[in-house]
């Protein structure tokens, strides 16, 4: 999978993004868009595309290094720094970014099994 590329499609074809699978750090939903966090030449970047998280999840299904952590996010497990807990809230810190990825109780067991 390290050398595989994936085409993440947008409803308006101009925003399609062709990216190496191993460079995708996370995908978060944002209303009618998804925000893709990825590495570009060692630099962290984000891009918004008009699509649903469900559609992106289907595209990433064949690669076993992605995990759904919340109804609003998917993360590449190779970029997970650590799982944090504060009272009843869980979130992931991600390597090389200032991003925090929420983890809901529904997906907590699956995330813990991978770490």
């Amino acid at each position: 999978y390290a050398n595989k590329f994936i085409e993440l499609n947008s409803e308006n074809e101009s925003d399609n993004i062709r990216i190496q699978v191993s460079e995708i750090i996370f995908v978060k939903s944002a209303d009618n868009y998804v925000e893709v966090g990825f590495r570009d030449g060692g630099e962290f970047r984000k891009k918004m595309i008009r699509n649903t998280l469900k559609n992106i999840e289907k595209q990433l299904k064949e690669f076993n290094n992605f995990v759904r952590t919340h109804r609003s996010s998917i993360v590449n497990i190779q970029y997970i720094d650590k799982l944090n807990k504060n009272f009843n809230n869980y979130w992931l810190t991600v390597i090389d970014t200032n991003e925090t990825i929420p983890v809901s109780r529904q997906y907590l067991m699956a995330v813990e099994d991978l770490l």
Side-chain angles (χ1 to χ4, degrees), residues 4 9 15 35-36 42 46 50 52 70 74 104-105 112:
K4 285 205 171 176
N9 299 313
D15 284 343
E35 178 183 59
V36 181
K46 294 187 215 176
R50 191 167 177 86
T52 65
H70 192 271
I74 298 169
S104 65
R105 286 192 307 254
E112 285 180 326

Side-chain angles (χ1 to χ4, degrees), residues 44-96:
F44 173 66
R45 298 202 27 219
K46 294 187 215 176
K47 181 166 174 81
M48 297 286 265
I49 57 174
R50 191 167 177 86
N51 204 329
T52 65
L53 197 62
K54 189 174 218 116
N55 287 342
I56 301 295
E57 186 177 27
K58 283 180 193 164
Q59 285 186 269
L60 296 174
K61 220 26 154 194
E62 68 180 277
F63 308 104
N64 60 2
N65 56 313
F66 290 94
V67 63
R68 184 79 179 248
T69 63
H70 192 271
R71 64 183 176 84
S72 67
S73 53
I74 298 169
V75 70
N76 186 335
I77 58 176
Q78 72 185 37
Y79 291 102
I80 295 174
D81 184 23
K82 68 179 182 186
L83 176 64
N84 304 284
K85 180 185 182 205
N86 182 358
F87 302 107
N88 274 343
N89 295 326
Y90 295 87
W91 71 96
L92 296 169
T93 48
V94 186
I95 296 169
D96 295 339

Side-chain angles (χ1 to χ4, degrees), residues 100-115:
T100 56
I101 310 292
V103 179
S104 65
R105 286 192 307 254
Q106 179 183 354
Y107 298 104
L108 182 61
M109 292 286 285
V111 172
E112 285 180 326
D113 289 346
L114 291 168
L115 298 178

